[in-house]
Each structure stands twice: as structure tokens, then as C-alpha cells.
Amino acid sequence: MNQLEKKNIRHFTLAELEAYFLEIGEKKFRAKQVYEWIWQKYARSFDDMSNLGKELRGHLSQSFSLPALSIDAVQNSIDGTIKSRFRTFDKHLVEGVLIPTEERKTACVSSQIGCSLTCKFCATGYMERKRNLTFDEIYDQVAIINKQSLDTYQQKLTNIVFMGMGEPLLNYANMMKAIERISATDGLGMSPKRITVSTAGVAKMITKLADDGAKFKLALSLHAATDKKRNEIMPINETNNIGALTDALNYYYKKTKQHVTFEYILFQNFNESLKDAEDLVKLYRRVPAELVNIIEYNPIDDSKFAKPSEDRVEEFMNYLEKNKVNARLRRSRGKDIDAACGQLANKG
């Protein structure tokens, strides 16, 4: 049986593995041992499972596959950020980033190989979407970046953000399953409250998140507070306009009682005027948003946008503060290795 014909062992539940071991005449507890190896000890192969006999390991290898992400390249920023390019079992490349600060060690992970949304300011948007990542591939990113954090900073990850390559809500099932495994006590055991999913805005899937009782945090990549401007830079707005998103976010809050965060990149001569700030204030008051992250623009090869002057940024921030908007200016990290917000494109 070749690797493609074998079933991925990580796509089996513990109960299914228990049934498998009983079927082949093994003790039921073997399933828990294997489950610990694949989700907590991060085994890369069946040979790693040292508390299983050689014969049993060979049997598992004949019956199942264990495709895991491998590290293709690593880049280190002068600010301590670490960008990893991962290689999938079918030879695709995808990136993840470790973002360290004094208070936090954050993993920025991808949900798709490429992206179909073609946002004009994002390097990933200029790539073709190859496929969705499976939930175990998303999990692998977190596990690898967690090990990098331990090795480099002697600290486990404190936070995870789905802000890498791809649109998480267009890979809904795998995203949700990955978060379930990441937060499970027999997985990485991370609280869902420390996980943020960022979306460009898929209204019906935000509604589904609400109906499914999502426990993690939700962020909307807004970047313009009117349909006219948002249509220019984010084509998804033509089918998921601000009115639809406002309704979905209000429904989300009603069902989950969780506030959302707006993300807003400032672009010179586009969305950084006081009129733009006024439009943002009006939208902020229409939805249960607890925070607006104002993000500095990071240049990419294919885009003609530029970042505004520091004076203009300060003026914009002051207007928000004066109008009682809880806003925070987020300085990007890892710009020197194309690891900052909007720069992921498998370079380097």
C-alpha cells in the first residue's frame, strides 16, 4: 500500500483507534499511547513511538500514514521574529511566524496554501490558492512554532492568531477542528481565549461561528469603513458588504457575548484622512467592537500603496481617542524578513 492509499492516522478519533487496536488483537490502551504520540509528543513517524514494540510500529506504518509538515527554511529578524516556511507532504509551501514580545509569544499561522480573495495590499492575495490546509497541518504549524519559542525564548506560546496565508472562514471545518485539537487537554491545551481568528469578512460564516458557539476571539480585517473604499481594495466586500457584516457581527455578539476586534491598515492618501476616521467611528458604534487595531502598512512588491507620515498617523489616532474609540497602534515586526502583516508570500 503506498502512502497516498493509506489513511492519515491523525484523522482518526481516539475511539476509532481503540476499535482498530482491539480488531488486530492488541490492548485498548495502545490507542491512548499512539494518541499521545501524535498530538502531545509530536511524533514525526511511527518509529518515534518508542514505547510501542517494533512489530506494532511496523504494522502501524503498513496501515496508516503520518504526513507532517517539515521546515523548508527559517529566517530570523533583527527584532527576534522568526519566520518559517513549511513544506507539506505534497510539496506545497506555506508560512508561519513566531512573534515575540516581552509579554507574549504569538504564533501567526496560515489556513490555506495561497488565497483566493485578492486583497490589493496583501502579498498572499497575489498568489493562487492551491488548496486548504488540513486541520493537522494547521496544528503542525503551532506545534513547530511552540518548539521554536521554547528553544529560543524558553517560553511556550501564549497566543495564536490565524492571520497568516489564506482566509480561515473559507476553510471552516479544518480551522475549527484545528482549534479543537489545539485547545484540547489531550492536545496542546491552549485556552481558546488566547486564539484569534482574523477574517476578511464572510458574513454567513460569521453567523455560523455564532451558531456553533465559538469560544475564541474574532477579528475583522476592515481597512476601510465605507463600501466604496473597501470594494477598491477588498473584492470580497462586493458580496459581503459592510451592512451584511454589521448584521453578522451583531448576531455573533448576541449569541456568544464576545466582542470583536477591527483591524485597520493605514494607507497614504486612501483611508487615513479625518473623514475616514469619522467613518470608522460611526461603524465602531454600530457593532460590539472592543478594540480597533491600527496597523502600519508593510510594503509588498505587487502593491503601490505607501504608509502615511507619522504626523498623519498621530492625527488619526488622536481623532479616534477624542471620540472614545478604544484604538491601539500596532507596530509590525519582522519586516526585514517579509514576515510582517500582509507580507507572507513564500519568499526567502
Side-chain angles (χ1 to χ4, degrees), residues 68-138:
L69 289 189
S70 60
I71 296 178
D72 183 74
V74 174
Q75 290 178 278
N76 292 273
S77 168
I78 56 174
D79 65 22
T81 298
I82 301 174
K83 181 174 77 169
S84 298
R85 185 170 65 200
F86 304 112
R87 186 175 293 275
T88 65
F89 76 95
D90 54 351
K91 312 302 183 191
H92 290 299
L93 299 173
V94 67
E95 292 181 331
V97 183
L98 171 61
I99 308 165
T101 64
E102 285 294 322
E103 306 82 25
R104 298 182 177 194
K105 301 295 180 283
T106 301
C108 175
V109 300
S110 297
S111 55
Q112 297 179 310
I113 300 166
C115 188
S116 60
L117 297 188
T118 66
C119 297
K120 304 306 180 190
F121 50 85
C122 176
T124 312
Y126 290 86
M127 300 171 64
E128 180 186 355
R129 189 192 75 84
K130 299 293 186 182
R131 66 169 174 84
N132 288 335
L133 289 169
T134 61
F135 71 87
D136 45 305
E137 289 172 328
I138 297 171

Side-chain angles (χ1 to χ4, degrees), residues 9 13-22 26-39 52 56:
I9 196 167
T13 65
L14 178 58
E16 288 169 337
L17 287 179
E18 287 174 342
Y20 166 78
F21 280 109
L22 290 174
E26 285 284 345
K27 298 292 187 183
K28 185 178 175 181
F29 75 87
R30 293 294 186 197
K32 189 170 183 182
Q33 289 179 316
V34 170
Y35 215 65
E36 287 176 350
W37 277 111
I38 59 180
W39 293 119
L52 304 181
L56 180 53

Side-chain angles (χ1 to χ4, degrees), residues 322-333:
K322 185 177 72 175
N323 284 276
K324 296 182 170 50
V325 172
N326 181 23
R328 178 177 61 193
L329 181 60
R330 201 172 86 201
R331 299 292 185 182
S332 295
R333 299 173 67 88

Side-chain angles (χ1 to χ4, degrees), residues 150-191:
L150 285 166
D151 291 346
T152 308
Y153 298 106
Q154 294 72 56
Q155 284 183 259
K156 291 182 178 179
L157 290 175
T158 60
N159 298 80
I160 300 169
V161 293
F162 282 72
M163 296 182 184
M165 303 170 77
E167 166 53 57
L169 297 193
L170 294 181
N171 188 15
Y172 189 90
N174 282 305
M175 181 227 16
M176 293 292 279
K177 181 65 175 176
I179 292 174
E180 182 272 315
R181 287 280 79 228
I182 290 164
S183 57
T185 54
D186 58 0
L188 290 177
M190 178 170 280
S191 168

Side-chain angles (χ1 to χ4, degrees), residues 332-344:
S332 295
R333 299 173 67 88
K335 288 184 282 189
D336 56 318
I337 56 171
D338 293 313
C341 179
Q343 290 187 318
L344 299 186

